[in-house]
Amino acid sequence: MTEAITLSSHAITMKTNDTELNNWLQIRSKGFSMEIVAALSIPICFWGLIGNATVFWLLCSKVKKTTFVVYVLNLIIADFIVATYFLIVFSVFLTSLYVSYYFSRAMENIYSLSSNASIFLLTVTCFERYFMVSFPLCYQQHRPKEFTMNVCCIIWFWSSLVALTLYVSCYPKLLSSHSESNSFCHGASIFESIVQLMFLFPIMAFSALSLFIRMQKRPKQRTKSRLDTTLIIMVILSLVCIFTFQTRYFISNWVEALRNPILFQLSLLFDSIKSSISPLVYFFVGNWKRQEATEPMHKLLERALNEKESTDTLDTKTLRMLLCMVMPGNRIR
């Protein structure tokens, strides 16, 4: 993900005399080129913008605000901004339009802020859900009322600091592979990768795996929370689309064989897919095994983000209580 920010610097300098950047962008290997990545990513990001905007509007106007709905709202905002970034940059690349230097710097800052916020938000959402189902009493007693909003504000603030640090340390070519001689830029990029690979992704993966194991151990007659399914799918997509390429980027600092243009181009494509596919996940989970033939879209979102569990059949204790009420004179063992 870090490496993807390089693209806007390259796309914006298409009309300059920097032949090294232009040649780097035009690398072709076995017919796979940046033009193909751009042509695939533009329609994906376009529909991603529509999907994220639709989900955001439905959650704001139709769906009751719960803890995890607030997290998803912030996650949608971050994904929407990332999809917008890729849509603009790939369009500039294909058309070779002239864009000012300051606009390029602003886009890179916004991308860095939003991409980091997206990873942080998904990590916090998964971990809070894991803590909620694993330690319910402690969660209910010690969780502050305004915890969700405070955490979201802290995440956006921290992501802004990271983006600003990267911008200052990597100026004038933010995260460009051609400015690696700058030790401050290289160190800032490595630090960001370490935070994501060593802390965020392991927490995210552990929480999702715990939720999955818990789902498998639940009785068959108990209806499982669809929120857990939604989070597990989102984590899998993040691990496939971001974690694998981020790991490759981190290792490539020492292993030159991994500095392959095809891998970089694929990381851009998968990053754009990750920022655009979230709405499909919500509607897919909400639509899975639905009872009614036609339902409003906001009902599907409510079901996909439903954190409660229910039982399809009465358990033994509840059944005995009901029989005592019906036949108070009989002693039921």
Side-chain angles (χ1 to χ4, degrees):
M1 177 176 290
T2 303
E3 206 174 15
I5 307 179
T6 311
L7 181 61
S8 68
S9 291
H10 296 164
I12 304 252
T13 54
M14 286 293 290
K15 292 192 175 182
T16 67
N17 294 324
D18 195 340
T19 55
E20 184 181 11
L21 292 180
N22 291 333
N23 292 335
W24 187 89
L25 269 180
Q26 299 299 332
I27 291 176
R28 289 175 172 80
S29 177
K30 298 181 181 181
F32 194 84
S33 65
M34 281 298 299
E35 283 81 0
I36 297 177
V37 174
L40 293 174
S41 297
I42 287 177
I44 292 174
C45 293
F46 177 76
W47 289 109
L49 292 180
I50 296 177
N52 281 310
T54 302
V55 172
F56 181 81
W57 176 76
L58 291 173
L59 291 180
C60 288
S61 59
K62 303 289 186 179
V63 178
K64 179 182 178 181
K65 304 300 180 295
T66 63
T67 298
F68 296 99
V69 168
V70 175
Y71 281 133
V72 170
L73 279 171
N74 285 268
L75 185 61
I76 288 172
I77 294 174
D79 288 340
F80 182 89
I81 296 175
V82 173
T84 303
Y85 168 86
F86 279 112
L87 183 63
I88 294 175
V89 170
F90 281 126
S91 299
V92 170
F93 170 73
L94 288 180
T95 58
S96 297
L97 295 175
Y98 174 79
V99 180
S100 68
Y101 172 84
Y102 300 102
F103 182 71
S104 171
R105 301 278 79 79
M107 285 201 307
E108 291 174 350
N109 262 336
I110 293 173
Y111 170 83
S112 179
L113 185 156
S114 303
S115 60
N116 280 284
S118 178
I119 297 176
F120 274 107
L121 286 166
L122 184 57
T123 302
V124 170
T125 305
C126 292
F127 184 76
E128 181 167 344
R129 177 59 182 173
Y130 158 76
F131 193 80
M132 176 183 180
V133 299
S134 300
F135 310 97
L137 294 179
C138 182
Y139 178 83
Q140 294 176 3
Q141 293 177 1
H142 299 285
R143 187 182 187 278
K145 292 182 179 180
E146 302 297 330
F147 181 78
T148 304
M149 294 302 301
N150 292 336
V151 168
C152 290
C153 291
I154 292 174
I155 288 176
W156 284 106
F157 178 73
W158 173 257
S159 300
S160 300
L161 289 181
V162 173
L164 182 62
T165 302
L166 289 171
Y167 176 80
V168 173
S169 61
C170 298
Y171 182 86
K173 295 176 181 178
L174 178 61
L175 297 184
S176 174
S177 58
H178 301 282
S179 61
E180 290 183 352
S181 58
N182 185 342
S183 59
F184 293 103
C185 178
H186 185 72
S189 302
I190 293 297
F191 176 76
E192 183 189 27
S193 298
I194 290 176
V195 170
Q196 293 183 2
L197 297 177
M198 303 300 178
F199 294 98
L200 298 183
F201 284 112
I203 293 175
M204 185 191 305
F206 169 78
S207 302
L209 181 61
S210 300
L211 293 175
F212 177 77
I213 294 175
R214 178 178 177 274
M215 289 175 60
Q216 301 305 311
K217 291 183 177 180
R218 302 301 291 176
K220 293 183 179 181
Q221 68 270 18
R222 183 177 293 274
T223 303
K224 301 174 178 61
S225 170
R226 299 207 179 199
L227 175 64
D228 296 342
T229 304
T230 302
L231 293 178
I232 292 172
I233 295 177
M234 294 296 295
V235 169
I236 293 175
L237 291 173
S238 296
L239 294 177
V240 172
C241 297
I242 300 177
F243 176 76
T244 52
F245 293 102
Q246 185 73 318
T247 303
R248 193 276 312 173
Y249 168 75
F250 181 75
I251 299 176
S252 67
N253 289 279
W254 298 275
V255 181
E256 189 174 357
L258 293 178
R259 299 175 186 177
N260 192 317
I262 296 181
L263 295 177
F264 170 70
Q265 294 162 3
L266 286 176
S267 69
L268 299 176
L269 177 61
F270 277 76
D271 199 357
S272 62
I273 292 174
K274 166 60 179 61
S275 63
S276 305
I277 202 172
S278 300
L280 293 179
V281 174
Y282 303 141
F283 289 120
F284 171 78
V285 176
N287 191 52
W288 181 257
K289 295 182 179 180
R290 62 178 182 178
Q291 298 178 355
E292 299 181 13
T294 58
E295 285 183 303
M297 296 178 66
H298 70 274
K299 291 294 184 181
L300 301 181
L301 290 176
E302 287 181 349
R303 187 178 292 110
L305 302 178
N306 181 25
E307 60 191 66
K308 297 181 180 180
E309 297 178 343
S310 60
T311 54
D312 295 331
T313 60
L314 297 176
D315 58 334
T316 305
K317 184 177 180 180
T318 305
L319 182 59
R320 292 182 62 182
M321 291 177 60
L322 290 175
L323 290 176
C324 287
M325 295 175 60
V326 176
M327 297 178 293
N330 296 334
R331 184 178 180 180
I332 302 175
R333 298 180 181 180

